[in-house]
Amino acid sequence: MQTIICSIHERRDEIVLRLLEFSATDTILYLRECVSNEQVLNSLKCAISCANDFLQTKFEEVSGLEVSVVNLAQKVQLRTFLNKLDDASLAVVYLVATELRSVLLGCLFLCRVFSVKDIFNLAFAEELEEQNKWGRDDFILQRHAEILKKLKTLEKFCDERSLFKN
């Protein structure tokens, strides 16, 4: 992990830029049309609200494939948040965000409002719903197990270094 943190330090501006570019098309902003489970939809609404509170942003859910002008405008405030993070915290956000395809979930991971399992369930809500409908796939189950293991390792790393922001 120390190697990754050093890499973050050396390429900090590039990493922040990648996260900013990715944020307007964040996975959880597009979930509403893909998921029918009310409990998941309530968690989704709560996650976006918590992220907005934590980041002081106004990200909104999106219908269809268009990128929301409102979501694009949140980059300024998100940059302020990301620039305040130390290298280790930025590394955690980046690793979670790239693993889950969600900058917002990466930030929520860091603020520890949701459990690792809840964050995982939101990131893969569409896949999990499809599996419940059509059956499990061993390859996907293995991939999910590996991702959960990585998230638990990052959680332990954050605990050991008191990186969580709440």
Side-chain angles (χ1 to χ4, degrees), residues 12 17 21 28 36 42 45 49 64 69 71-72 79 89-90 100 103 114 135 141 145 155 166:
R12 186 176 185 85
L17 185 59
E21 288 173 353
I28 67 169
S36 61
N42 287 337
K45 184 177 180 179
S49 176
V69 174
N71 291 342
L72 285 170
R79 179 188 297 272
S89 297
L90 184 59
L100 302 181
V103 176
F114 295 92
L141 289 174
E155 180 181 46
N166 69 348

Side-chain angles (χ1 to χ4, degrees), residues 5-96:
I5 294 169
C6 288
S7 175
I8 292 287
H9 180 74
E10 294 165 2
R11 299 174 43 210
R12 186 176 185 85
D13 291 339
E14 178 186 340
I15 297 298
V16 169
L17 185 59
R18 280 187 192 175
L19 291 170
L20 292 173
E21 288 173 353
F22 190 39
S23 66
T25 57
D26 195 290
T27 299
I28 67 169
L29 299 175
Y30 291 84
L31 273 179
R32 182 153 301 274
E33 291 183 352
C34 306
V35 177
S36 61
N37 181 311
E38 276 304 312
Q39 187 176 4
V40 172
L41 292 173
N42 287 337
S43 292
L44 172 65
K45 184 177 180 179
C46 181
I48 293 170
S49 176
C50 288
N52 281 330
D53 289 346
F54 186 67
L55 300 169
Q56 298 179 339
T57 55
K58 296 177 182 174
F59 283 101
E60 63 182 12
E61 292 180 79
V62 179
S63 298
L65 298 175
E66 290 189 33
V67 177
S68 162
V69 174
V70 171
N71 291 342
L72 285 170
Q74 303 316 301
K75 289 180 182 181
V76 173
Q77 194 59 31
L78 181 58
R79 179 188 297 272
T80 299
F81 171 79
L82 294 172
N83 283 337
K84 289 180 184 176
L85 296 177
D86 58 64
D87 291 341
S89 297
L90 184 59
V92 168
V93 170
Y94 181 76
L95 291 170
V96 173

Side-chain angles (χ1 to χ4, degrees), residues 115-137:
S115 70
V116 166
K117 185 69 172 167
D118 289 340
I119 286 175
F120 173 87
N121 287 340
L122 277 173
F124 295 100
E126 183 178 6
E127 277 185 36
L128 295 170
E129 189 168 301
E130 290 295 318
Q131 286 180 28
N132 286 334
K133 198 182 292 183
W134 305 110
R136 306 260 185 241
D137 176 288

